[in-house]
Amino acid sequence: MPAESPRVSRLEPYLHRQEPAPTLLKTLVGLQLAGMREDAGLAQEEAARAVGFSPAKLSRIESGKGRRPPAEADVHLLLRLYEADAYEGSVLVQLLRRAGEPGWWQRYDKRLMPEWFDRLVGLQEGATGIRTFEIQYVPGLLQTHAYARAVVERGLPRAPAREVERRVDLRMRRARLLHRADAPSLWAIVDESVLLRVLGGRDVMREQLAHLVEMTGRPHVTLQVVPLDATHAAAPPLPVTYLRFGGVDLPDIVYLEHLAGAVFVEASEETEEYRAALDRLADQALNPRESVELVKGVMAERYPGE
């Protein structure tokens, strides 16, 4: 076997992931092909023309976007064009095949999983670290079943009961991510108003806040609360999810959701701005110990048990 290139040594660990991570692997395959093209001294348009692709097609392959991975035949064309090392090429093709393994979320119908949401869930499944800021609701990965139902019913007041349950089921399935042996770290920052806003009734809120306290007992879960009297806190005007992947090959990605869909911020200079904003907010929030004590205090004062 030929000596392994530095690129291969970085790729091989991804072949042994326990959970399917098709979104992560599609992104990784695309990034590696883009790196090979650049190493070959070819512009994207030149490479596309050489193998009979449109520039748009090659751009989609290199970005790793879309529901399906690129065709294996197309990847072989690119590997030949870039004169890729045979062993490196074989590892990349193995990654491509694993990228074709369906994730659990891809079994839900497309009405519940539009393409942007499919990508978010897939990226979260492959992330090593998730940072999030929420100004209105408890972060989805930390929601209880009853609280999640209240959130869905509030957002979709006319949805039939079956659809509500399917959406709640999807949210609960996503939350299992934090119970995996290789769970990512979750660092959640929430506004104090999230603890005070009653969704589903006081029993639901008591259960939800107790769940928050329980989850912070896990070593990979950190919660910080921005108190209402933190007048100088530089909070973003909308929820932010910041994803890290723990490898030099995979850049950080920021997810921003809005009413009509979502935006993925991927340019490093822009994601760095969001990272810095979350750092500043964490500095201005209560520390993790103080935050848990605040959650317990709110639970005892506003949602006492019988």
Side-chain angles (χ1 to χ4, degrees):
M1 184 180 70
E4 295 181 7
S5 71
R7 196 186 308 256
V8 166
S9 66
R10 298 198 303 265
L11 289 175
E12 285 192 315
Y14 295 103
L15 291 174
H16 308 297
R17 290 183 55 87
Q18 284 189 319
E19 297 291 330
T23 307
L24 172 76
L25 298 182
K26 281 186 299 183
T27 302
L28 185 61
V29 167
L31 287 170
Q32 294 302 319
L33 288 171
M36 291 178 180
R37 173 179 56 76
E38 291 167 1
D39 290 346
L42 294 170
Q44 195 174 72
E45 188 172 343
E46 291 176 298
R49 189 185 313 117
V51 293
F53 295 171
S54 68
K57 177 176 179 176
L58 183 54
S59 177
R60 284 194 302 273
I61 291 173
E62 292 185 354
S63 69
K65 295 176 182 174
R67 289 185 182 271
R68 300 180 62 82
E72 189 171 322
D74 289 343
V75 171
H76 278 296
L77 284 174
L78 294 170
L79 291 172
R80 284 196 292 271
L81 175 65
Y82 305 148
E83 298 181 350
D85 171 88
Y87 188 66
E88 183 177 39
S90 74
V91 172
L92 197 65
V93 169
Q94 289 178 68
L95 283 176
L96 178 67
R97 290 171 181 167
R98 288 220 66 191
E101 298 174 13
W104 62 262
W105 62 96
Q106 294 170 328
R107 299 182 178 91
Y108 287 79
D109 67 68
K110 292 182 180 179
R111 196 162 63 86
L112 297 185
M113 295 293 298
E115 190 166 321
W116 55 268
F117 191 52
D118 178 286
R119 188 176 183 218
L120 169 67
V121 176
L123 288 171
Q124 284 185 328
E125 286 287 319
T128 57
I130 302 172
R131 297 181 67 179
T132 185
F133 168 69
E134 282 284 350
I135 199 168
Q136 188 169 13
Y137 301 124
V138 170
L141 293 175
L142 295 173
Q143 292 178 5
T144 64
H145 191 279
Y147 184 92
R149 181 188 292 111
V151 172
V152 172
E153 289 176 340
R154 183 176 186 179
L156 297 169
R158 298 178 182 174
R162 179 173 174 77
E163 180 180 343
V164 170
E165 282 307 312
R166 286 290 285 165
R167 290 182 182 275
V168 174
D169 176 68
L170 171 58
R171 193 163 298 198
M172 292 299 96
R173 181 61 183 81
R174 287 175 61 202
R176 293 186 201 173
L177 172 66
L178 297 180
H179 298 270
R180 284 189 347 209
D182 61 344
S185 63
L186 174 67
W187 181 358
I189 304 175
V190 300
D191 191 82
E192 185 180 352
S193 61
V194 168
L195 312 179
L196 307 177
R197 183 174 295 107
V198 179
L199 278 86
R202 295 188 180 277
D203 289 345
V204 170
M205 291 302 299
R206 181 171 61 253
E207 178 190 41
Q208 176 61 74
L209 297 195
H211 182 65
L212 280 181
V213 172
E214 178 188 350
M215 290 301 293
T216 59
R218 294 175 177 266
H220 58 285
V221 176
T222 301
L223 175 71
Q224 287 187 265
V225 179
V226 181
L228 294 176
D229 59 3
T231 55
H232 300 294
L238 73 171
V240 176
T241 298
Y242 189 103
L243 303 163
R244 306 203 74 173
F245 300 95
V248 293
D249 299 287
L250 294 159
D252 299 345
I253 296 177
V254 173
Y255 168 82
L256 306 170
E257 191 170 327
H258 54 78
L259 284 176
V263 173
F264 291 88
V265 179
E266 301 179 59
S268 58
E269 63 273 14
E270 295 182 50
T271 58
E272 175 61 23
E273 290 183 18
Y274 282 97
R275 187 199 61 76
L278 289 173
D279 284 347
R280 290 193 297 270
L281 191 58
D283 287 342
Q284 295 158 346
L286 299 177
N287 66 39
R289 181 187 59 78
E290 294 168 336
S291 296
V292 171
E293 290 306 311
L294 177 61
V295 173
K296 291 178 178 177
V298 170
M299 185 167 54
E301 180 180 344
R302 291 178 60 89
Y303 315 115
E306 295 181 359

